[in-house]
Amino acid sequence: MVLSTSLKFKSNSALEDHIKYPTEILVIEPATMNALHQIAIYVAREKMQVAQFATDISCMMSPAFSMVYVQELERLETNFQSLPCSFMQHTMLIAKYNDSAVVAFVDMDRRREVLDPSQSVPYISDLIVSPHHRKKGIASALLQRCEHIARNVWKEHHLHLLAETYSLPAVSLYLKNGFVPVSLESGPLHCDDEGCVMEPIEATDHQKWYSITIATEDVGNRSVVKLSEGFVNKLKLFQRVVFRKDLI
């Protein structure tokens, strides 16, 4: 449970969030090359478990894990090396407690807008939290930091993210943080210089299936999203969903 939040500016391009817990302080800051190794482990483990590896131990002892880890590390390092000095096109953020190991990561860059390829808009990707540090508000804190950068630094009016529909906890997280589904995709995602092929959601269709309620759990007064049966059944028909949040 978050007791209080304060914002501290180290410099114009390196912003930090300090989220105070009873005995710990979570710090959000720009990623470093050294942090990418731990992030690659988190991402690879998540992908392996989606592929039905039962436990962390069986996942990380698998020969396939090493291959996925190396692929993810190379991808992250390539993205990191493309970070511009201007901080206006791409940013990577990590979260950690004090000076301890990295516990979460998020990447945000500009991409062609799915429904209007003529527009370049900020997209969130690779939002990942260590399994041992989930349900503490860390993912929401990273989303809020991305919103702050997109709104106040990049001067954007919208923020997008692409999510896999199989991860209902992630879908619930985005909905709880004010993101709204705007398009769906049911096959391989085909992207080129003109954008990605997606199926837009008609505004009238929202009333048929997009219905959620936000409740509060008894333990810690933590807000959770309850997905309607119609919403879940609709997601099962697709593989990916694009979310958008208006930054006002």
Side-chain angles (χ1 to χ4, degrees):
M1 179 177 123
V2 177
L3 297 184
S4 64
T5 303
S6 60
L7 182 64
K8 176 182 177 182
F9 295 84
K10 286 185 66 178
S11 68
N12 290 334
S13 62
L15 306 179
E16 289 188 347
D17 267 344
H18 291 261
I19 300 178
K20 298 181 180 180
Y21 292 86
T23 58
E24 301 173 306
I25 295 180
L26 181 75
V27 179
I28 296 178
E29 62 187 18
T32 63
M33 181 67 82
N34 290 336
L36 298 184
H37 294 277
Q38 185 62 55
I39 297 163
I41 291 175
Y42 293 152
V43 176
R45 181 167 53 190
E46 192 78 9
K47 289 190 172 183
M48 294 293 289
Q49 289 178 338
V50 168
Q52 299 181 349
F53 278 80
T55 65
D56 284 354
I57 296 178
S58 63
C59 166
M60 298 185 71
M61 291 181 64
S62 165
F65 176 84
S66 296
M67 182 177 66
V68 176
Y69 163 75
V70 171
Q71 291 174 344
E72 291 303 319
L73 181 59
E74 291 178 349
R75 180 180 65 84
L76 290 168
E77 288 179 342
T78 298
N79 290 344
F80 183 86
Q81 291 168 358
S82 70
L83 287 173
C85 297
S86 66
F87 189 62
M88 292 299 293
Q89 299 290 330
H90 188 191
T91 185
M92 290 177 162
L93 302 173
I94 57 174
K96 59 183 181 180
Y97 288 111
N98 300 324
D99 294 325
S100 61
V102 174
V103 298
F105 170 79
V106 70
D107 192 339
M108 183 173 68
D109 61 1
R110 291 182 187 272
R111 305 181 189 181
R112 291 185 180 273
E113 207 275 317
V114 168
L115 301 181
D116 184 3
S118 66
Q119 300 294 321
S120 176
V121 296
Y123 262 84
I124 290 175
S125 61
D126 287 328
L127 176 60
I128 186 79
V129 179
S130 163
H132 303 295
H133 294 86
R134 293 176 181 174
K135 301 186 183 298
K136 295 182 177 181
I138 298 175
S140 292
L142 284 171
L143 288 175
Q144 291 165 15
R145 165 52 54 217
C146 288
E147 291 176 31
H148 174 86
I149 293 173
R151 179 192 302 109
N152 300 312
V153 182
W154 293 6
K155 305 302 181 183
E156 293 286 347
H157 301 293
H158 308 285
L159 183 57
H160 295 70
L161 60 85
L162 180 66
E164 303 290 342
T165 56
Y166 64 74
S167 180
L168 293 182
V171 169
S172 297
L173 169 72
Y174 305 141
L175 292 170
K176 186 177 73 171
N177 281 275
F179 286 83
V180 175
V182 293
S183 58
L184 293 161
E185 188 272 325
S186 57
L189 190 60
H190 299 291
C191 299
D192 55 29
D193 292 339
E194 299 302 319
C196 302
V197 179
M198 303 284 289
E199 176 183 334
I201 300 173
E202 298 295 337
T204 55
D205 194 38
H206 283 282
Q207 299 176 0
K208 300 178 181 178
W209 66 279
Y210 175 48
S211 119
I212 64 170
T213 58
I214 297 181
T216 302
E217 288 186 337
D218 293 335
V219 180
N221 292 324
R222 189 172 64 92
S223 296
V224 295
V225 168
K226 304 295 184 181
L227 302 179
S228 68
E229 182 179 355
F231 184 92
V232 174
N233 290 337
K234 180 76 171 184
L235 287 181
K236 290 179 180 179
L237 301 176
F238 297 88
Q239 290 181 320
R240 300 176 185 87
V241 55
V242 170
F243 288 90
R244 182 177 66 196
K245 183 172 183 178
D246 295 332
L247 305 177
I248 55 176

